[in-house]
Amino acid sequence: MSTPKTIYSQSEARRLRAQPCPDCGKMSRVDRQPLPDMDDSVDPQVSVLWCCPDIICAGHDGFSVESQ
């Protein structure tokens, strides 16, 4: 089984769009969190998860859509 990709450069993460939740099918927004960066890079790394808007869905805590 492949590992889900959750780390993107900030420029890549800006282009990511909402995706359907794999559990319920509702469109889910992208949640980007900056990673602590030791150097001041021009394009820092961010952690990306898609979060389902349905609070009772398993995808509400976040899911990934592509593999590394």
Side-chain angles (χ1 to χ4, degrees):
M1 189 163 127
S2 59
T3 306
K5 181 176 180 180
T6 59
I7 306 299
Y8 294 83
S9 67
Q10 189 171 22
S11 60
E12 284 180 306
R14 283 190 191 121
R15 292 189 301 256
L16 298 174
R17 301 289 176 233
Q19 297 288 327
C21 176
D23 293 314
C24 69
K26 292 183 181 179
M27 290 306 284
S28 304
R29 64 179 171 78
V30 178
D31 182 30
R32 295 185 296 261
Q33 298 294 323
L35 295 175
D37 201 0
M38 297 301 172
D39 58 346
D40 294 327
S41 67
V42 176
D43 196 12
Q45 300 288 307
V46 294
S47 175
V48 175
L49 287 176
W50 282 260
C51 297
C52 181
D54 188 349
I55 60 171
I56 60 171
C57 179
H60 183 71
D61 293 330
F63 61 91
S64 299
V65 297
E66 58 181 80
S67 299
Q68 292 190 35

PDB file of all heavy atoms in Angstrom, residues 20-28 52-54 57-60 63:
ATOM      1  N   PRO A  20     -13.956  15.410  -3.844  1.00  0.00           N
ATOM      2  CA  PRO A  20     -15.042  14.691  -3.177  1.00  0.00           C
ATOM      3  C   PRO A  20     -14.497  13.785  -2.072  1.00  0.00           C
ATOM      4  O   PRO A  20     -13.450  13.159  -2.227  1.00  0.00           O
ATOM      5  CB  PRO A  20     -15.692  13.879  -4.294  1.00  0.00           C
ATOM      6  CG  PRO A  20     -14.673  13.795  -5.369  1.00  0.00           C
ATOM      7  CD  PRO A  20     -13.779  14.993  -5.226  1.00  0.00           C
ATOM      8  N   CYS A  21     -15.215  13.744  -0.982  1.00  0.00           N
ATOM      9  CA  CYS A  21     -14.835  12.885   0.147  1.00  0.00           C
ATOM     10  C   CYS A  21     -14.977  11.425  -0.283  1.00  0.00           C
ATOM     11  O   CYS A  21     -15.985  11.048  -0.879  1.00  0.00           O
ATOM     12  CB  CYS A  21     -15.738  13.176   1.341  1.00  0.00           C
ATOM     13  SG  CYS A  21     -15.445  12.092   2.754  1.00  0.00           S
ATOM     14  N   PRO A  22     -13.978  10.572   0.011  1.00  0.00           N
ATOM     15  CA  PRO A  22     -14.072   9.159  -0.382  1.00  0.00           C
ATOM     16  C   PRO A  22     -15.152   8.395   0.390  1.00  0.00           C
ATOM     17  O   PRO A  22     -15.599   7.349  -0.053  1.00  0.00           O
ATOM     18  CB  PRO A  22     -12.685   8.594  -0.085  1.00  0.00           C
ATOM     19  CG  PRO A  22     -12.060   9.536   0.873  1.00  0.00           C
ATOM     20  CD  PRO A  22     -12.695  10.872   0.650  1.00  0.00           C
ATOM     21  N   ASP A  23     -15.594   8.919   1.538  1.00  0.00           N
ATOM     22  CA  ASP A  23     -16.602   8.226   2.348  1.00  0.00           C
ATOM     23  C   ASP A  23     -18.029   8.623   1.990  1.00  0.00           C
ATOM     24  O   ASP A  23     -18.895   7.774   1.849  1.00  0.00           O
ATOM     25  CB  ASP A  23     -16.361   8.480   3.840  1.00  0.00           C
ATOM     26  CG  ASP A  23     -15.076   7.842   4.324  1.00  0.00           C
ATOM     27  OD1 ASP A  23     -14.840   6.675   3.979  1.00  0.00           O
ATOM     28  OD2 ASP A  23     -14.308   8.515   5.019  1.00  0.00           O
ATOM     29  N   CYS A  24     -18.286   9.937   1.844  1.00  0.00           N
ATOM     30  CA  CYS A  24     -19.668  10.381   1.624  1.00  0.00           C
ATOM     31  C   CYS A  24     -19.881  11.094   0.292  1.00  0.00           C
ATOM     32  O   CYS A  24     -21.014  11.319  -0.117  1.00  0.00           O
ATOM     33  CB  CYS A  24     -20.131  11.282   2.767  1.00  0.00           C
ATOM     34  SG  CYS A  24     -19.305  12.892   2.826  1.00  0.00           S
ATOM     35  N   GLY A  25     -18.817  11.491  -0.388  1.00  0.00           N
ATOM     36  CA  GLY A  25     -18.943  12.122  -1.691  1.00  0.00           C
ATOM     37  C   GLY A  25     -19.132  13.629  -1.686  1.00  0.00           C
ATOM     38  O   GLY A  25     -19.173  14.248  -2.743  1.00  0.00           O
ATOM     39  N   LYS A  26     -19.243  14.249  -0.507  1.00  0.00           N
ATOM     40  CA  LYS A  26     -19.392  15.708  -0.444  1.00  0.00           C
ATOM     41  C   LYS A  26     -18.073  16.386  -0.821  1.00  0.00           C
ATOM     42  O   LYS A  26     -17.000  15.870  -0.527  1.00  0.00           O
ATOM     43  CB  LYS A  26     -19.799  16.161   0.950  1.00  0.00           C
ATOM     44  CG  LYS A  26     -21.197  15.740   1.326  1.00  0.00           C
ATOM     45  CD  LYS A  26     -21.580  16.277   2.686  1.00  0.00           C
ATOM     46  CE  LYS A  26     -22.984  15.819   3.030  1.00  0.00           C
ATOM     47  NZ  LYS A  26     -23.397  16.295   4.349  1.00  0.00           N
ATOM     48  N   MET A  27     -18.175  17.540  -1.483  1.00  0.00           N
ATOM     49  CA  MET A  27     -16.965  18.283  -1.839  1.00  0.00           C
ATOM     50  C   MET A  27     -16.274  18.766  -0.569  1.00  0.00           C
ATOM     51  O   MET A  27     -16.911  19.333   0.311  1.00  0.00           O
ATOM     52  CB  MET A  27     -17.293  19.459  -2.748  1.00  0.00           C
ATOM     53  CG  MET A  27     -17.713  19.021  -4.143  1.00  0.00           C
ATOM     54  SD  MET A  27     -16.542  17.932  -4.970  1.00  0.00           S
ATOM     55  CE  MET A  27     -15.281  19.086  -5.437  1.00  0.00           C
ATOM     56  N   SER A  28     -14.983  18.537  -0.494  1.00  0.00           N
ATOM     57  CA  SER A  28     -14.207  18.818   0.712  1.00  0.00           C
ATOM     58  C   SER A  28     -13.124  19.840   0.419  1.00  0.00           C
ATOM     59  O   SER A  28     -12.428  19.757  -0.587  1.00  0.00           O
ATOM     60  CB  SER A  28     -13.574  17.522   1.223  1.00  0.00           C
ATOM     61  OG  SER A  28     -14.573  16.548   1.434  1.00  0.00           O
ATOM     62  N   CYS A  52     -13.640  16.939   5.082  1.00  0.00           N
ATOM     63  CA  CYS A  52     -15.051  16.836   4.740  1.00  0.00           C
ATOM     64  C   CYS A  52     -15.867  17.781   5.631  1.00  0.00           C
ATOM     65  O   CYS A  52     -15.628  17.866   6.838  1.00  0.00           O
ATOM     66  CB  CYS A  52     -15.525  15.398   4.918  1.00  0.00           C
ATOM     67  SG  CYS A  52     -17.256  15.165   4.491  1.00  0.00           S
ATOM     68  N   PRO A  53     -16.855  18.489   5.054  1.00  0.00           N
ATOM     69  CA  PRO A  53     -17.668  19.409   5.856  1.00  0.00           C
ATOM     70  C   PRO A  53     -18.673  18.708   6.774  1.00  0.00           C
ATOM     71  O   PRO A  53     -19.201  19.317   7.705  1.00  0.00           O
ATOM     72  CB  PRO A  53     -18.399  20.250   4.805  1.00  0.00           C
ATOM     73  CG  PRO A  53     -18.461  19.381   3.601  1.00  0.00           C
ATOM     74  CD  PRO A  53     -17.198  18.555   3.643  1.00  0.00           C
ATOM     75  N   ASP A  54     -18.938  17.420   6.551  1.00  0.00           N
ATOM     76  CA  ASP A  54     -19.910  16.669   7.362  1.00  0.00           C
ATOM     77  C   ASP A  54     -19.231  16.202   8.651  1.00  0.00           C
ATOM     78  O   ASP A  54     -18.301  15.393   8.606  1.00  0.00           O
ATOM     79  CB  ASP A  54     -20.419  15.471   6.555  1.00  0.00           C
ATOM     80  CG  ASP A  54     -21.561  14.757   7.238  1.00  0.00           C
ATOM     81  OD1 ASP A  54     -21.842  15.043   8.423  1.00  0.00           O
ATOM     82  OD2 ASP A  54     -22.180  13.895   6.589  1.00  0.00           O
ATOM     83  N   CYS A  57     -18.925  12.393   9.322  1.00  0.00           N
ATOM     84  CA  CYS A  57     -18.221  11.593   8.315  1.00  0.00           C
ATOM     85  C   CYS A  57     -16.795  11.279   8.787  1.00  0.00           C
ATOM     86  O   CYS A  57     -16.150  12.084   9.456  1.00  0.00           O
ATOM     87  CB  CYS A  57     -18.181  12.362   6.994  1.00  0.00           C
ATOM     88  SG  CYS A  57     -17.321  11.477   5.681  1.00  0.00           S
ATOM     89  N   ALA A  58     -16.303  10.119   8.388  1.00  0.00           N
ATOM     90  CA  ALA A  58     -14.923   9.726   8.734  1.00  0.00           C
ATOM     91  C   ALA A  58     -13.895  10.648   8.072  1.00  0.00           C
ATOM     92  O   ALA A  58     -12.796  10.815   8.580  1.00  0.00           O
ATOM     93  CB  ALA A  58     -14.664   8.283   8.329  1.00  0.00           C
ATOM     94  N   GLY A  59     -14.253  11.278   6.947  1.00  0.00           N
ATOM     95  CA  GLY A  59     -13.338  12.185   6.250  1.00  0.00           C
ATOM     96  C   GLY A  59     -13.252  13.568   6.870  1.00  0.00           C
ATOM     97  O   GLY A  59     -12.469  14.407   6.425  1.00  0.00           O
ATOM     98  N   HIS A  60     -14.030  13.822   7.919  1.00  0.00           N
ATOM     99  CA  HIS A  60     -14.011  15.127   8.568  1.00  0.00           C
ATOM    100  C   HIS A  60     -12.665  15.426   9.211  1.00  0.00           C
ATOM    101  O   HIS A  60     -12.242  16.577   9.287  1.00  0.00           O
ATOM    102  CB  HIS A  60     -15.123  15.220   9.619  1.00  0.00           C
ATOM    103  CG  HIS A  60     -15.217  16.557  10.284  1.00  0.00           C
ATOM    104  ND1 HIS A  60     -15.664  17.675   9.636  1.00  0.00           N
ATOM    105  CD2 HIS A  60     -14.917  16.953  11.540  1.00  0.00           C
ATOM    106  CE1 HIS A  60     -15.636  18.719  10.451  1.00  0.00           C
ATOM    107  NE2 HIS A  60     -15.169  18.299  11.620  1.00  0.00           N
ATOM    108  N   PHE A  63      -8.334  13.711   4.889  1.00  0.00           N
ATOM    109  CA  PHE A  63      -7.942  12.605   4.027  1.00  0.00           C
ATOM    110  C   PHE A  63      -7.029  13.135   2.937  1.00  0.00           C
ATOM    111  O   PHE A  63      -6.961  14.339   2.688  1.00  0.00           O
ATOM    112  CB  PHE A  63      -9.168  11.909   3.416  1.00  0.00           C
ATOM    113  CG  PHE A  63     -10.032  12.787   2.546  1.00  0.00           C
ATOM    114  CD1 PHE A  63      -9.808  12.880   1.182  1.00  0.00           C
ATOM    115  CD2 PHE A  63     -11.074  13.504   3.101  1.00  0.00           C
ATOM    116  CE1 PHE A  63     -10.607  13.686   0.386  1.00  0.00           C
ATOM    117  CE2 PHE A  63     -11.886  14.320   2.315  1.00  0.00           C
ATOM    118  CZ  PHE A  63     -11.644  14.399   0.951  1.00  0.00           C
TER     119      PHE A  63
END
